[in-house]
């Protein structure tokens, strides 16, 4: 138990340090042309290997081959997507988690959609707030630090993007 708690505290400290650097403008962003399909295939591969034994949930990727090449930091894009897919898998016990990519009006969009438990409409404005959790009854072992979506929002914003969420309880969530 001590090792588990130490790991949890270390993760919390690391997340707080990263968020602090983001807010202060000290986190380096290496913007370059990003070939999104191979990057997303790598993210899916990570979770396919990790969650291969999770019954009832499929992980899919829909990435067209003729996608424009956006300018972004590939490591930070990967970090955001790993967090979103991890959350989607955590709250989806059956159905699917799908990554969909498309372009419109000279912008590239990535959406992570799940068929999980969803988020109540009243809670949606708070999902990107630090330490906020929709299920206040969760204990420390049933979730992360409560900073993942806050960090995602900052990482997307610092690269000139926007992150949005739509969700319905019992229907799942979409993070775009």
């Amino acid at each position: 138990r001590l090792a588990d708690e130490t790991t949890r505290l270390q993760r919390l400290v690391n997340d707080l340090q990263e968020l602090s650097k983001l807010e202060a403008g000290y986190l380096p962003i290496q913007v370059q042309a990003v070939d999104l399909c191979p990057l997303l295939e790598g993210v899916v591969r990570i979770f396919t290997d990790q969650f291969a034994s999770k019954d009832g949930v499929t992980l899919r990727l829909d990435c067209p081959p003729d996608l424009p090449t956006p300018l972004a930091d590939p490591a930070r894009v990967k970090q955001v997507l790993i967090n979103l897919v991890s959350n989607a898998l955590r709250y989806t016990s059956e159905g699917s988690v799908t990554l969909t990519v498309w372009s419109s009006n000279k912008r590239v969009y990535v959406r992570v959609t799940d068929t999980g438990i969803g988020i109540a409409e009243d809670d949606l404005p708070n999902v990107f707030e630090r330490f906020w959790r929709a299920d206040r009854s969760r204990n420390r072992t049933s979730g992360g630090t409560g900073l993942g979506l806050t960090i995602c929002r900052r990482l997307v914003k610092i690269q000139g993007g926007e992150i949005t969420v739509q969700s319905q309880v019992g229907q799942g969530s979409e993070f775009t």
Side-chain angles (χ1 to χ4, degrees):
R1 282 188 283 172
L2 182 60
D4 288 345
E5 194 63 13
T6 301
T7 300
R8 186 190 69 77
L9 286 173
Q10 183 63 47
R11 192 171 51 242
L12 177 61
V13 169
N14 290 342
D15 286 352
L16 284 169
Q17 286 176 329
E18 184 165 31
L19 186 57
S20 176
K21 287 177 186 177
L22 273 167
E23 289 175 343
Y26 294 131
L27 192 68
I29 299 294
Q30 307 297 323
V31 175
Q32 58 188 304
V34 177
D35 191 355
L36 272 178
C37 287
L39 187 141
L40 292 170
E41 288 166 0
V43 169
V44 168
R45 200 170 23 258
I46 289 168
F47 288 100
T48 300
D49 295 343
Q50 185 177 352
F51 287 97
S53 64
K54 188 169 181 173
D55 296 335
V57 179
T58 57
L59 181 57
R60 296 189 294 245
L61 172 61
D62 179 14
C63 192
D66 59 345
L67 195 65
T69 305
L71 295 176
D73 183 327
R76 299 305 179 179
V77 170
K78 186 175 181 179
Q79 180 181 356
V80 168
L81 291 168
I82 286 173
N83 184 283
L84 294 176
V85 172
S86 175
N87 284 351
L89 287 168
R90 181 179 296 134
Y91 297 108
T92 303
S93 59
E94 60 183 40
S96 64
V97 173
T98 305
L99 285 83
T100 308
V101 186
W102 74 97
S103 65
S104 176
N105 298 325
K106 298 185 180 183
R107 295 191 74 153
V108 177
Y109 299 86
V110 179
R111 176 176 291 148
V112 177
T113 306
D114 66 62
T115 58
I117 63 173
I119 304 164
E121 186 176 343
D122 290 346
D123 292 333
L124 287 174
N126 300 311
V127 297
F128 296 108
E129 299 301 320
R130 64 179 75 199
F131 301 116
W132 187 87
R133 293 180 174 182
D135 182 358
R136 289 151 192 88
S137 66
R138 285 180 15 199
N139 64 30
R140 287 185 269 195
T141 60
S142 67
T145 61
L147 295 171
L149 290 175
T150 304
I151 292 171
C152 285
R153 179 179 59 182
R154 292 287 186 167
L155 286 173
V156 169
K157 188 175 181 179
I158 201 169
Q159 296 180 79
E162 179 184 354
I163 187 169
T164 61
V165 60
Q166 294 181 335
S167 187
Q168 286 186 323
V169 173
Q171 301 295 311
S173 302
E174 290 182 354
F175 285 84
T176 305

